[in-house]
Amino acid sequence: MSNKHGSLSIDSDNLFPIIKKWLYSDHDIFYRELISNGCDAITKLEKLEMMGEYQFPADYKKKIEVIVNPEEKTLKFIDNGLGMTADEVEEYICQIAFSGATDFIEKYKDKANDDQIIGHFGLGFYSAFMVADRVTIDTLSYKEGSTPVHWTCDGGTDYDIEDGTKTTIGTEITLYLNEDCVEFANEYRAKEVIQKYCSFMPTPIFLSKANAETEYETIDAADKLDTDTVVEEIHEEAKTEEKENENGKKEVVEVSPAKDKLKIVKRPVALNDTNPLWTKNPNDCTDEEYKEFYRKVFLDYKEPLFWIHLNMDYPFNLKGILYFPKINTEYDSIEGTIKLYNNQVFIADNIKEVIPEFLMLLKGVIDCPDLPLNVSRSALQNDGFVKKISDYITKKVADKLIGMCKTDKESYEKYWDDISPFIKFGCLKDTKFCDKMNDYILFKNLDDKYLTLPELLVKEEEKANTEENDSNDSTAKDASDSASSDHSDSDSTASDTEEKDERKVIYYVTDKVQQGQYIKLFKEQNMDAVILDHNIDTSFISQLEQRNENYKFMRIDADLTESLKEETNAEDLKAETDTLTETFRKALNNDKLVVKVEKLKNEGISSIITLSEEGRRMQDMMKMYAMNGMGGFDPSMFGGDQTLTLNANNKLVQYIFEHKDSEHVPMFCEQLYDLAVLTNQPLSVDAMSKFVARSNEIMMLLAK
């Protein structure tokens, strides 16, 4: 075979059905595309006027009209933009994927930028054929001496073009809807779709129904506009009432003055806001305007906590407003709404490539003309560029939060309980965000006061220094003994010091009611802890510990701190420990039960359950796996670090020690154990039933 070089051929008969059926996933999107084309036509004409190449008539008002006709199953899209000549129709309409917008920008690149030019691909017009069997165009160019053009196509690749009858500059597109899509000729359906995609397009959009009865309204004569069509002049006489005066006599009083009013043809009202709040300078926007915009767009009448106004021109153009809504539930059940726009044209909700995952609680709008959209304007391209946009949004959110913490700490604290799960989630997901927010994460203590992590660590350090000074004072008398210790003892002490965990401990509470006994113990010794009661907190504090080796978190019931105990020697309590361990193991029928005996400063507490921090976190992790449908693990598998601590200063514990063989001691052991468990976690159904029965039995003994 001889070598041959050629070009790939594309058969438009095969390509056109693909464009019509598969280019767009939503059929209602043709509204957006055709109205966008009309906006572009008007924007181009405005730019030509600015360059001195066209002069608007004195009464010119830019607008796009959409006229529905359910009887004839047609839709009309009418703009008063720059229109087209016959040559331009053949070039821009008859050539698939030839963009008139791109051609315009290239032609005038030295005189005008591409701001607010929506189209780029030259395919939007063909979305009309998704819903229409036939489409016609009537257009008249702004150019001097232009001839109106009529174009028609029945949905295939053949078209007809001829002189038209249009007398005003602009373009009128008529869609003859197919039977499956007649819903789009319904006035209410049309309004719904226009408000979905075109609520903020830069040109006023008016919707009307063909052959509808004329509607009227009444206005004050002083409010008449030159464009109003007056139907009737109305004079309202003054309204009076008979009232009793100060002297008790009745008199006629005017309660409403005479008025002149006009009955006029109802003024058309645009469906869209052509100057949305995000396009304005943040300094020119009031709090009430931000709240009103939030209510209008998201139909949420609860006031947002606060908002962030994005306004960036370099290295990419991006504007928008992000709202933090008021919420009261856990982070994993929240879903916000971020509306993405391109030159004020709606693209989609919740584009995860643009909005960081942890900020999906937010409600807001983002308009980025530089977004790298695909041909159908429904998805993003160019991951690197989109990542920069996402990073910018993350940075702005962090800057806003940090600024609030520094300058308005009171408000920051007020919002914290609502936004903390999402900020913590952000720290887990985004290292840069975590780096910025690290010193501005708040922790609420037992007195409901909020502290940042640096403030918390300073407080813990001051407490540790106080305890160390007290310890030094109490052991000063033993200094000579320490100095005279032998060499081997010194080596042993040095070794123990090296192995000791020197990290600062931050104690925390996950349930103020369940862990109330431990909180009481802490407060009696002027100790503090922080409240960490969200699902995300276990993962969050683990990450904080990994990032900083100078501190660690321990739940308030993970161990008994030295501050809660009297100083004792292990040998002093050996007899009690051995006896009570044997007694409790036998009574509870649990040979593996770990029992410790300590002298607690609070004599009223008999028993306490502690579970090592590592064991608890493993349990929490297994619970999270189970919640997410990842079975196969039993959280109780990791409960082996549980310890029952008995208070040697408590009279009931002393009674059990001294009367281990007494008839009722096993019942007392079971009761003390259950009481200890109750301060740590709820009892199982079976254990609770036995606890109630046993409590009744003990009261009966007391009654005798």
Side-chain angles (χ1 to χ4, degrees):
M1 178 185 287
S2 60
N3 293 340
K4 186 176 182 180
H5 177 78
S7 300
L8 294 172
S9 65
I10 299 175
D11 188 340
S12 60
D13 285 338
N14 294 330
L15 179 63
F16 199 44
I18 294 173
I19 293 173
K20 289 193 296 182
K21 295 295 182 183
W22 305 110
L23 181 60
Y24 299 97
S25 56
D26 298 318
H27 279 193
D28 63 1
I29 214 164
F30 75 92
Y31 267 101
R32 183 188 76 180
E33 297 302 307
L34 296 181
I35 292 175
S36 295
N37 286 348
C39 283
D40 277 352
I42 292 169
T43 300
K44 294 171 192 174
L45 194 59
E46 288 178 322
K47 291 185 180 295
L48 291 171
E49 200 264 349
M50 289 171 57
M51 293 184 286
E53 298 191 15
Y54 178 73
Q55 182 68 43
F56 282 127
D59 61 347
Y60 179 82
K61 287 187 177 180
K62 64 179 183 178
K63 65 178 180 178
I64 292 172
E65 294 181 84
V66 180
I67 303 174
V68 298
N69 191 328
E71 287 77 21
E72 296 185 6
K73 303 174 186 176
T74 63
L75 273 175
K76 288 184 182 291
F77 295 85
I78 306 169
D79 69 71
N80 55 355
L82 78 174
M84 290 179 285
T85 63
D87 289 342
E88 288 169 336
V89 170
E90 291 201 61
E91 188 173 19
Y92 301 145
I93 300 298
C94 302
Q95 291 189 59
I96 297 174
F98 188 93
S99 171
T102 304
D103 187 51
F104 179 88
I105 293 167
E106 180 63 27
K107 183 176 180 180
Y108 293 102
K109 62 183 178 182
D110 296 328
K111 297 181 180 180
N113 57 37
D114 61 352
D115 287 351
Q116 292 188 315
I117 298 291
I118 299 167
H120 285 290
F121 299 109
L123 289 169
F125 168 74
Y126 297 99
S127 64
F129 289 100
M130 293 192 301
V131 296
D133 291 330
R134 178 167 165 250
V135 177
T136 65
I137 298 175
D138 287 283
T139 184
L140 176 62
S141 174
Y142 75 97
K143 295 175 181 176
E144 194 74 32
S146 293
T147 301
V149 179
H150 177 78
W151 180 93
T152 183
C153 178
D154 291 332
T157 55
D158 296 329
Y159 64 87
D160 293 305
I161 187 168
E162 60 188 0
D163 289 349
T165 58
K166 188 168 174 58
T167 58
T168 56
I169 292 172
T171 300
E172 177 179 315
I173 301 173
T174 304
L175 278 59
Y176 296 83
L177 299 171
N178 60 47
E179 288 299 324
D180 294 335
C181 300
V182 291
E183 63 172 294
F184 295 115
N186 178 282
E187 185 178 6
Y188 298 103
R189 179 73 170 115
K191 183 177 181 180
E192 177 189 32
V193 177
I194 291 171
Q195 289 180 330
K196 173 183 175 181
Y197 290 111
C198 311
S199 286
F200 301 106
M201 281 193 181
T203 301
I205 303 166
F206 299 93
L207 174 65
S208 62
K209 181 181 178 182
N211 305 317
E213 291 185 6
T214 305
E215 295 184 62
Y216 304 97
E217 62 180 313
T218 303
I219 62 170
D220 289 337
D223 295 333
K224 180 182 178 296
L225 303 176
D226 294 338
T227 54
D228 288 333
T229 301
V230 179
V231 176
E232 181 184 355
E233 295 183 0
I234 303 169
H235 178 75
E236 290 185 355
E237 297 293 341
K239 293 181 180 179
T240 59
E241 285 184 7
E242 192 176 59
K243 291 186 177 181
E244 196 174 278
N245 62 21
E246 296 176 354
N247 300 323
K249 294 182 179 181
K250 292 184 177 180
E251 61 181 11
V252 177
V253 178
E254 184 178 279
V255 293
S256 178
K259 290 181 180 179
D260 288 323
K261 292 193 171 184
L262 300 174
K263 181 180 179 182
I264 64 171
V265 175
K266 189 174 182 179
R267 296 169 182 169
V269 179
L271 293 180
N272 58 321
D273 178 0
T274 58
N275 296 295
L277 197 63
W278 74 75
T279 63
K280 300 177 182 179
N281 188 303
N283 295 328
D284 298 332
C285 303
T286 66
D287 286 357
E288 187 52 43
E289 285 178 322
Y290 282 116
K291 293 174 185 177
E292 178 59 32
F293 183 79
Y294 177 79
R295 288 191 288 267
K296 182 176 74 173
V297 175
F298 301 106
L299 303 178
D300 185 350
Y301 291 89
K302 290 181 294 185
E303 285 194 359
L305 299 174
F306 57 92
W307 48 85
I308 302 169
H309 197 139
L310 307 170
N311 195 342
M312 185 178 188
D313 296 320
Y314 181 84
F316 47 81
N317 189 350
L318 184 145
K319 290 179 172 62
I321 305 171
L322 299 178
Y323 291 92
F324 277 79
K326 183 169 180 57
I327 49 171
N328 295 304
T329 52
E330 290 288 347
Y331 74 97
D332 55 1
S333 62
I334 299 299
E335 184 175 352
T337 303
I338 305 293
K339 294 182 174 294
L340 185 64
Y341 290 81
N342 182 259
N343 272 322
Q344 297 177 225
V345 179
F346 177 71
I347 303 302
D349 285 332
N350 297 341
I351 300 289
K352 293 184 178 179
E353 295 88 343
V354 176
I355 306 299
E357 182 183 357
F358 67 95
L359 292 177
M360 280 297 178
L361 90 150
L362 302 183
K363 294 183 178 180
V365 294
I366 290 178
D367 191 341
C368 184
D370 299 332
L371 275 177
L373 299 172
N374 67 358
V375 173
S376 66
R377 286 195 284 188
S378 59
L380 300 177
Q381 305 176 115
N382 190 338
D383 290 343
F385 185 82
V386 173
K387 180 68 167 61
K388 290 180 182 178
I389 296 174
S390 178
D391 288 346
Y392 167 74
I393 294 171
T394 301
K395 179 181 181 299
K396 291 297 291 185
V397 170
D399 290 345
K400 171 72 175 183
L401 294 169
I402 291 169
M404 188 185 298
C405 185
K406 288 180 176 179
T407 61
D408 190 6
K409 185 80 176 292
E410 185 177 345
S411 294
Y412 190 65
E413 291 177 356
K414 182 174 68 175
Y415 302 145
W416 181 254
D417 288 345
D418 281 297
I419 64 176
S420 64
F422 306 92
I423 293 174
K424 291 171 182 177
F425 188 40
C427 290
L428 290 171
K429 289 288 184 178
D430 191 312
T431 303
K432 291 182 180 178
F433 181 77
C434 190
D435 290 339
K436 290 178 73 71
M437 290 301 302
N438 190 72
D439 292 345
Y440 303 96
I441 294 164
L442 298 185
F443 295 88
K444 184 161 66 174
N445 70 4
L446 297 179
D447 297 322
D448 291 335
K449 293 181 180 178
Y450 290 91
L451 302 169
T452 63
L453 190 56
E455 290 169 344
L456 196 61
L457 292 173
V458 167
K459 189 174 180 181
E460 290 298 320
E461 188 171 349
E462 289 173 351
K463 183 189 74 177
N465 290 338
T466 301
E467 290 177 352
E468 185 178 347
N469 291 335
D470 292 343
S471 176
N472 288 341
D473 291 342
S474 65
T475 57
K477 61 185 179 62
D478 299 324
S480 58
D481 294 337
S482 300
S484 62
S485 60
D486 60 30
H487 185 69
S488 62
D489 286 343
S490 298
D491 290 343
S492 174
T493 301
S495 175
D496 291 343
T497 302
E498 289 175 0
E499 294 178 4
K500 186 179 179 182
D501 191 344
E502 297 292 341
R503 291 180 294 174
K504 299 184 183 73
V505 177
I506 300 173
Y507 290 98
Y508 67 93
V509 173
T510 57
D511 187 325
K512 292 180 74 171
V513 175
Q514 194 77 52
Q515 292 142 32
Q517 179 171 281
Y518 302 89
I519 292 173
K520 182 182 177 183
L521 282 171
F522 266 53
K523 286 186 172 181
E524 286 174 351
Q525 301 303 320
N526 294 320
M527 296 177 65
D528 203 0
V530 297
I531 312 298
L532 297 175
D533 54 5
H534 283 98
N535 290 342
I536 199 172
D537 283 325
T538 299
S539 301
F540 177 64
I541 60 177
S542 296
Q543 189 217 42
L544 286 180
E545 290 170 336
Q546 291 169 8
R547 290 167 58 87
N548 194 318
E549 58 185 19
N550 295 322
Y551 57 83
K552 65 178 179 179
F553 286 83
M554 284 183 65
R555 204 168 91 167
I556 199 169
D557 55 356
D559 195 7
L560 288 172
T561 68
E562 297 301 320
S563 301
L564 305 178
K565 300 182 290 188
E566 295 179 5
E567 288 187 23
T568 58
N569 189 305
E571 290 298 320
D572 295 341
L573 297 173
K574 187 177 187 308
E576 286 89 339
T577 301
D578 291 345
T579 299
L580 290 171
T581 298
E582 180 184 354
T583 303
F584 272 81
R585 284 180 175 178
K586 182 178 179 181
L588 299 172
N589 194 26
N590 183 355
D591 292 338
K592 296 182 179 179
L593 178 67
V594 179
V595 179
K596 285 177 65 176
V597 179
E598 301 281 4
K599 286 191 174 184
L600 303 184
K601 293 179 180 179
N602 187 328
E603 295 179 3
I605 294 175
S606 55
S607 56
I608 282 178
I609 287 285
T610 58
L611 175 64
S612 73
E613 187 67 19
E614 294 77 10
R616 174 175 292 103
R617 292 197 195 181
M618 188 61 72
Q619 281 190 359
D620 290 342
M621 190 181 300
M622 293 306 104
K623 288 177 184 176
M624 288 181 67
Y625 283 145
M627 287 171 60
N628 292 326
M630 300 171 64
F633 292 101
D634 180 4
S636 63
M637 291 166 54
F638 302 93
D641 294 332
Q642 192 179 80
T643 300
L644 173 65
T645 301
L646 300 172
N647 183 7
N649 287 332
N650 180 263
K651 294 188 181 301
L652 185 54
V653 174
Q654 292 171 1
Y655 176 86
I656 294 173
F657 170 63
E658 294 168 359
H659 304 82
K660 63 177 182 176
D661 297 323
S662 173
E663 175 188 358
H664 300 303
V665 161
M667 180 170 60
F668 292 160
C669 291
E670 290 177 323
Q671 193 75 354
L672 287 188
Y673 180 79
D674 283 352
L675 286 170
V677 172
L678 275 171
T679 62
N680 184 274
Q681 64 188 33
L683 291 174
S684 67
V685 175
D686 183 55
M688 178 57 77
S689 298
K690 291 179 179 178
F691 175 76
V692 172
R694 194 185 316 114
S695 298
N696 287 326
E697 188 177 348
I698 291 172
M699 286 190 288
M700 287 297 294
L701 289 174
L702 290 172
K704 293 178 182 179

